[in-house]
Amino acid sequence: MSPMLKGEGPGPLPPLLQQYVELRDRYPDYLLLFQVGDFYECFGEDAERLARVLGLVLTHKSSKDFTTPMAGIPIRAFDAYAERLLKMGFRLAVADQVEPAEEAEGLVRREVTQLLTPGTLVQEALLSKEANYLAAIATGDGFGVAFLDVSTGEFKGTLLKSKSALYDELFRHRPAEVLLAPELRENREFMVEFQQRFPVMLSEAPFEPMGEGPLALRRVQGALLWYARWTQGEGFCPRPFRPYDPGAFMHLPEATLRALEVFEPIRGQDTLFGVLDETRTAFGRRLLQSWLRHPLLEAGPLEARLDRVERFVREGALREGVRRLLFRLADLERLATRLEMGRASPRDLGSLRRSLEILPELRALLGEEVVLPDLGSLLEELRAALEEELPLKLSEGGLIRQGYDPHLDVLRQAHREGVAYFLELEEREKARTGIPTLKVGYNAVFGYYLEVTRPYYERVPSEYRAIQTLKDRQRYTLPEIKERERELYRLEAQIRRREEEVFLELREKARKEAEALREAARVLAELDVYAALAEVAVRYGYVRPRFGDRLHIRGGRHPVVERRTSFVPNDLEMAHELVLVTGPNMAGKSTYLRQTALIALLAQIGSFVPAEEAVLPLFDRILTRIGASDDLAGGRSTFMVEMEEVALILKEATEKSLVLLDEVGRGTSSLDGVAIATAVAEALHERRCYTLFATHYFELTALPLPRLKNLHVAAKEEEGGLTFYHQVLPGPASKSYGVEVARMAGLPKEVVERAKALLQVLTARREGVAEAVLEKLISLDPNTLTPLEALRLLHELKALALGAPLDTIKG
């Protein structure tokens, strides 16, 4: 058995496997996909792994002294398999044949041409439209974190003071792969917590500082650049590094993004992004996501965005026209990166041509207001050079038009004449030999040949050399055929080479315009987002929000919930108040809280909002404590998680914050819960933030706080039980509907009756009856009571406790 490869036999390894092992050992963390003809193969243990994870048939590669397991994927299906492997956490090293097999002397040369990891992809087929970040984290003065999207060159980072701020930033950007500095990698506690929260691929890189600024930021820049160059090649150059300050945008902690289902649904499949995403281009979609991750804090830029959206809302024909054109655009931003890296394929240049043809049409529609770079001369060049239908790979040829390159035209003409010789040869030889069935054929093994059927064998001239005998015919060759054929092959190779040269020159011309293409993508992305937000506003009846110093929403709706069910709109007025929302479960308290936050979030990205009218303050953050993010998997109790989130809210809330609390204190005993909820309510009231607090602790509704406001979600008891109106009205709810809901949910009748009786007792106890009972008890001397008096007294006390007249008690 070979020490280097799993298999059977004394060895040595045949040359092909020798080559495979050498390449494999150069990339120990990668799965090597090794091109053999039309397949990418793996051998040995890697073959077994590949077969297992993809459900492939395992075969064997045998030479006379060695047999090893083999499994492979067809090259034409590479994208689909690669995508699955990356999702399963494999890094892939792709080794291609780098010389044509017919030109190779001995073994075909193979080299690793690409390294694929989830966070460094540039291949269009393997990427979703979303941004695809590689992140790096190091410590220093706090945490340095940076993000690089290799496919677009976006490169930015920030310095954060706390671990919770780091997690918020990571959750906001969702990196596909993370590089951790050694001091974090070696910290067991950090690693366990990190991998639980972010189950992404962790990779290693040297954290050598580069650039300016604090050390932690310089280290993460160095790590990202090294890793990108290791996977993409030394030529990789990102955009200039941009330090950013999360404080320049509205703060949306992880808990808020989750609770509001901005990007990910909690239950069901709908998200805010899903409702808003009417973009028509990939770069527009990425920009919309970025806006949702970073809502603005200043009225000026927001009004400017809203003006642009409003124009598209008003002018339906313009919106339609722009959206129809945008739909035909390629992902210019990523295309620019592939051009810069020398990775653009013939089809990439084809879709670039198609996209550039659309720009003048967009200009004509929008007039002066959209300033696009002039790419006219590149378009002319692409039109003149490229065929209509383009091959997938450069090596397939047939991509440069007749008439573009004189040298190529001469070669092609000579090739056509060479082929014509063989067409004429048939007629000539037929006439010369008098064999009517003689024909010229071609196959890959023998090349061109002359074929004669059995009845005419005796007419075959002596200079014909037989090369193959079939059942009823024979094939021959002539010295001049071989010569002409060699000449044709030589021309074909020259044509292939020349086409490649011309294509590379053309690609170089396009590469010089990469920056202009990026600029065009930037302008068009904004256009796309404005038109998309306008489309949503018109389709679903949103209005333009205004900004003021109090909150006033008339007929507000929940943008996601209203997409699936009919919705009762609600109003809300508040100014630095603590608003308590009471009412039965299921009546819609949580929805009411969330819709308020979503309206505020939409307004601060520059979108219209689902309401009849909306005036809003500019919030610095939206903080939430709403169920469903309970970290039971992380081993912390619901109550513990809840308290940690509340603690964070109390630390961060300012009078410009919007705070949503849903049923705080639920996870503990009722008295504890009331006490905690009361203390939290008082603390938030003191901070003057805008607080919406949904609760079923009625004690809170009577708190003596000057800026406390009570609202309740209406429900009405009717013959058949409760009717929920989902309508929010002033004042606290009239009573607890829990027992009624329990009955509707189908609890057994006797259990519901018992609960009703207990509720009476508890209500009575809360309404001061308890004191009367206590006083009566304290004033008694049990020693002086006869048994009968004691019995009567017990009945009296019970009646008192239930607040019922004495004579109704059966004695």
Side-chain angles (χ1 to χ4, degrees), residues 23 29 32 73 112 117 178 238 293 315 352 361 373 395 508 528 531 607 797:
L23 283 175
D29 298 341
L32 182 71
I73 55 179
V112 170
T117 76
V178 177
R293 283 197 287 263
E315 301 184 34
L352 177 57
E361 296 184 56
S395 54
E508 182 51 34
D528 191 10
S607 167
L797 288 174

Side-chain angles (χ1 to χ4, degrees), residues 294-306:
H294 303 106
L296 305 180
L297 299 175
E298 310 278 317
L302 282 171
E303 296 292 1
R305 281 184 184 179
L306 288 164

